Amino acid sequence: MEQTEKKIILSGIQPTGIFTLGNYIGAVRNWVNLQEDYRCLYMVANMHAITVRQEPAKLRQQTLSCFALIMACGVDPQKAPIFIQSHVHEHAELSWVLSCYTQFGELSRMTQFKDKSAKNASNINAGLFTYPSLMAADILLYQADLVPVGADQQQHLELSRDIANRFNGLYSPTFTVPEGYIPKAGARVMSLADPERKMSKSDPNPNGVISILDSADDIIRKFKRAVTDSDCCISFEHGSAGVKNLLTIYTVMTGKRMEEAEKEFAGQGYGSFKEAVGVAVAEALAPVREKHAALMNDKSYLEQCYTDGAKFASHLARKTLEKVYRKVGFVNTPRF
Ligand code: TRP
C-alpha cells in the first residue's frame, strides 16, 4: 500500500499571540505543500501555551482561531489531520514517562528555557522547564520521521532524538528517531521595522509585524512604512536587508522568480516597490482571511473537524503509549 510507505511528519504551533506572515511563510505554507507527499499530522500546541500565564477565555478563542487558520491556509484535514493537543491525553501521559528519561542537566542547557526564564522571572514554573519532554512526547507518539521546525526549536528536536535513542537503547526499538525537516524553499521573514530581526509575534513595534488576519489596508500601510534604507537598488544581491526581505516576501507570495521580480521593479522608486509588495501580500492573504472568518462562523463544522482530528491522532498515540507502558513495566491498563 502506497500509504504506509510515506514518511510521517508531525508539527505543531502554539496558539498564542498573533499568527504572523512569518509563521505563514516559514511554517504553515509549507505544511500545505507537505500534505501531498507525506503522512502529515498537525497540532495546535495549547498545552505548551500554558507554560506562560494565559488568560483562559483568550486561550480558548485563540486555540480555535489557530485551528481555523491552519485550515484556512490550505491544510485539508482529510489529507492531514489537525488536532488540539489537550484533546489527546496520551501527550500528557507519555510526557510524564519521558520526563523520567530526560536529565535535569539536559533541560538546564536549553537556551529557550534560559531566555524565557530570564524574561519571566516571576513565573519560572516546572512546566517551562520540562517543556522539551512534552515536545518529545508530541513527536515520538506518532513515530514521526520528520519534524519541520524553525531554528528556535532545533535544540528541542535534538533532545527528542536523544530521548528516543536512550529509551530505544534501554529497552528495545520503540520510537522512530525523528529528523528535522528543512523545507527546500525556506524563507525567513524579517521584521518590516527592523529587517535585521526576525518577524515575531512579540515584536515591540506593531508596524514591523503583519498578522495574517490584518485588513488589506493595514497590510498595505505597514508595507509602505517598511524600512528599506534607501541606499542602492531593488536587488536581492546588492540591496539592503530591508529590500531583500521585501523581495523575498514578494516572490514567495506571488510565486514569481527572483529575477522576474527584480526586473519588474527595476528603475522604480522605493515607494511604489513597497506598495506593490503590500498589495501582493494583501491579495494573497484575502482568501485566507475570508476562509478563516467563515470557519469561525461555523463552530459546529470546526468542532467536527477537531473531533475527527483528535480521534485519528489518539488512535495512533495509544498504540505507542501502550508499547511504552509495557516496556517500562506498568501493569496492563484494564478496560472499563
Ligand atoms: N514548541 C513549538 C513552538 O513553540 C511548538 C511545538 C509543540 C512543536 N510541539 C511540537 C513543534 C512538536 C514541532 C513538533 O514553536
Side-chain angles (χ1 to χ4, degrees), residues 8-72:
I8 300 174
I9 284 195
L10 176 118
S11 201
I13 187 162
Q14 289 202 42
T16 48
I18 53 171
F19 198 97
T20 71
L21 184 64
N23 298 129
Y24 178 71
I25 292 181
V28 179
R29 212 182 46 99
N30 297 313
W31 291 9
V32 178
N33 299 331
L34 294 171
Q35 68 185 347
E36 307 298 337
D37 300 330
Y38 298 92
R39 283 173 62 195
C40 298
L41 272 161
Y42 298 127
M43 177 185 83
V44 180
N46 61 338
M47 290 167 69
H48 279 84
I50 63 164
T51 53
V52 175
R53 202 66 72 227
Q54 305 288 339
E55 202 188 298
K58 205 163 144 197
L59 178 61
R60 205 175 343 264
Q61 133 74 19
Q62 287 187 336
T63 302
L64 292 176
S65 175
C66 184
F67 190 96
L69 254 176
I70 296 171
M71 285 176 68

Side-chain angles (χ1 to χ4, degrees), residues 10-14 43 45 48 131 135 138-139 147-149 153:
L10 176 118
S11 201
I13 187 162
Q14 289 202 42
M43 177 185 83
H48 279 84
Y131 169 124
M135 183 157 156
D138 299 338
I139 297 166
V147 183
V149 284
Q153 297 297 323

